[in-house]
Amino acid sequence: MKLLTIAVFTILFWTCVEGVKAQSTGKLKKVVIDAGHGGKDPGAHGKYSKEKDIVLAVALKLGNYIEKYLPEVDVVYTRKTDVFIPLNERAAIANKSDADLFISIHANYISNPKITGTETFALGLHRTDDNLEVAKKENSVIVLEDDYTTTYEDFDPSLAESYIIFELYQNIYLDQSLELARLVQEQFSKRVGRRNRGVKQAGFLVLRETAMPGVLVELGFLSNSNEEKYLSSNEGQALLASGIFRAFRAYKEQFDAKNNLDMPAEKMVAEEKSSEIVYRIQVASSKKKIKQGTSIYRKFDDVFEYQDGNMYKYAIGKASSFDEIRKINAEVKKKIKDCFVIAFEDGKRIPLSEARKKSKE
């Protein structure tokens, strides 16, 4: 093998560091969704399914959730069809779009068919042999690229020695990436009911090349028959996509709140005043708390729970004007016929007439 020299490591290290853009300020406005593999690269194989098909389905569902419930966010896809995209081109798409976040979606395979669960990775040096093997598998796609030894400076995905580069690479977005990974795993575990294999770090080329926070999500193991069935089902794909969506939404809320600390005081006051009255659509109520991942949570991805006396009540949607929420309500009625509009002021429910009077509608 042609080993990378320390001189080459140093050049690569400073090239990567100097090429990283400064963390954007303001609100999170753009996310890149990367469906792993594709085209001539099928990824992992189950008994009857291919990784490339499953992750594309989840990626498209995730993008649809973001476009529907967070329309202010631009969604960029590295692929929307069954095509082969080299790893460096996937990163280039993200970097050229000047995105704020990168989410790469994959499915796993292992020789032991009993192993199940989800795991989410941030870029870093693998701490265990298992993490190294996952990185090797996902990086092995580069051998399908033309002249990959030149493109990736003699990086050989099958050799542990090549991964020394990740000891020198300083990921300035590590904290943000780990936080997103934590949120994804939390959603998978608590809301979707999948086995949590944890947040991990490993040397993924596609994450190394992206100049923004990013994670690589492993949805489950195609080597396990039950998990393959779940991953191949429309319901399973929808629930996994909704889990990533909820994690993304929580991350965005944290991101926006943190960056809004630097906003001029007058602008913050104006935003607070404009958001005092919030309209939502009530879709359910229950004496017992509805378990996340069941019932109404299966129909909607933006469920808001609140208590009214000894009742648990559930609403969806969010708008600052009555006209806007009324349009949303018309669509929701197609699923829940007896839904209706409610209003909140500073987080407390108030009569609808009072809300409309205060907002002069």
Side-chain angles (χ1 to χ4, degrees):
M1 181 198 83
K2 184 177 180 182
L3 292 174
L4 290 170
T5 64
I6 293 299
V8 173
F9 281 147
T10 305
I11 292 171
L12 282 172
F13 167 69
W14 286 112
T15 299
C16 292
V17 172
E18 291 175 3
V20 173
K21 70 181 178 71
Q23 177 70 45
S24 59
T25 57
K27 295 185 176 182
L28 194 159
K29 299 178 180 178
K30 189 176 293 185
V31 59
V32 172
I33 300 175
D34 173 47
H37 308 280
K40 63 183 179 181
D41 171 29
H45 282 272
K47 289 182 178 179
Y48 51 84
S49 63
K50 297 177 182 177
E51 178 182 2
K52 68 174 184 177
D53 299 324
I54 290 171
V55 300
L56 178 59
V58 173
L60 294 176
K61 284 179 169 61
L62 170 60
N64 181 62
Y65 289 142
I66 295 174
E67 290 164 347
K68 181 178 180 179
Y69 297 112
L70 297 171
E72 71 275 17
V73 177
D74 290 332
V75 179
V76 177
Y77 301 87
T78 57
R79 71 179 181 98
K80 297 181 74 174
T81 58
D82 185 20
V83 294
F84 177 75
I85 308 290
L87 291 186
N88 64 324
E89 287 188 23
R90 294 170 187 265
I93 291 170
N95 293 338
K96 288 178 182 178
S97 69
D98 197 32
D100 299 300
L101 198 62
F102 182 83
I103 302 174
S104 189
I105 302 175
H106 293 258
N108 221 328
Y109 187 94
I110 197 168
S111 58
N112 185 347
K114 294 182 180 180
I115 292 179
T116 63
T118 66
E119 50 195 15
T120 303
F121 289 84
L123 178 67
L125 181 64
H126 46 271
R127 302 298 179 186
T128 69
D129 290 340
D130 287 344
N131 291 9
L132 174 60
E133 290 307 311
V134 175
K136 283 183 177 180
K137 178 173 67 68
E138 299 298 355
N139 290 335
S140 65
V141 62
I142 68 172
V143 301
L144 298 177
E145 301 177 23
D146 296 331
D147 200 20
Y148 75 90
T149 57
T150 299
T151 302
Y152 299 98
E153 287 94 355
D154 290 329
F155 182 92
D156 187 333
S158 66
L159 296 173
E161 295 94 316
S162 290
Y163 290 82
I164 298 173
I165 180 63
F166 294 97
E167 291 188 52
L168 296 174
Y169 185 81
Q170 186 180 42
N171 181 12
I172 65 172
Y173 300 120
L174 181 59
D175 288 344
Q176 298 99 311
S177 300
L178 288 174
E179 174 60 12
L180 175 59
R182 183 191 69 78
L183 290 168
V184 170
Q185 286 301 119
E186 182 179 81
Q187 289 293 330
F188 281 165
S189 175
K190 295 182 178 179
R191 300 289 291 271
V192 189
R194 309 311 294 167
R195 178 170 177 261
N196 186 354
R197 290 176 55 84
V199 172
K200 302 178 180 180
Q201 291 179 245
F204 295 100
L205 286 172
V206 71
L207 295 181
R208 189 193 77 177
E209 301 290 329
T210 50
M212 65 206 65
V215 296
L216 188 145
V217 182
E218 294 282 2
L219 299 172
F221 289 83
L222 294 178
S223 43
N224 178 274
S225 58
N226 289 332
E227 199 143 84
E228 180 184 15
K229 182 179 180 181
Y230 181 84
L231 293 174
S232 301
S233 70
N234 183 66
E235 181 182 14
Q237 293 167 0
L239 288 172
L240 288 165
S242 69
I244 302 173
F245 165 74
R246 292 188 186 101
F248 169 77
R249 182 175 59 189
Y251 177 90
K252 181 183 184 306
E253 289 173 354
Q254 293 178 14
F255 181 98
D256 293 352
K258 180 179 179 181
N259 284 282
N260 282 340
L261 292 176
D262 299 324
M263 293 171 60
E266 310 83 54
K267 187 174 181 181
M268 288 189 69
V269 170
E271 286 200 354
E272 287 174 1
K273 286 184 177 179
S274 66
S275 62
E276 286 179 352
I277 302 295
V278 173
Y279 295 97
R280 297 183 184 273
I281 302 165
Q282 185 159 311
V283 292
S285 63
S286 175
K287 289 184 178 180
K288 293 183 178 181
K289 193 170 186 177
I290 297 176
K291 186 179 179 181
Q292 294 179 351
T294 65
S295 183
I296 204 70
Y297 288 98
R298 291 182 179 272
K299 294 184 178 182
F300 303 100
D301 288 284
D302 58 342
V303 178
F304 172 78
E305 178 191 276
Y306 70 100
Q307 278 191 266
D308 185 4
N310 63 347
M311 297 291 290
Y312 291 94
K313 297 187 176 182
Y314 299 84
I316 65 163
K318 184 178 181 181
S320 57
S321 74
F322 181 74
D323 285 341
E324 183 182 353
I325 200 67
R326 188 168 56 180
K327 292 177 183 178
I328 299 173
N329 191 49
E331 292 298 315
V332 177
K333 275 187 176 295
K334 295 176 182 179
K335 293 183 178 180
I336 308 292
K337 291 184 179 180
D338 58 348
C339 66
F340 55 92
V341 175
I342 56 177
F344 294 85
E345 182 177 22
D346 296 330
K348 182 180 179 181
R349 185 175 172 181
I350 61 173
L352 187 60
S353 58
E354 181 181 337
R356 295 187 66 183
K357 183 178 180 180
K358 287 187 176 182
S359 56
K360 298 180 180 180
E361 292 185 277

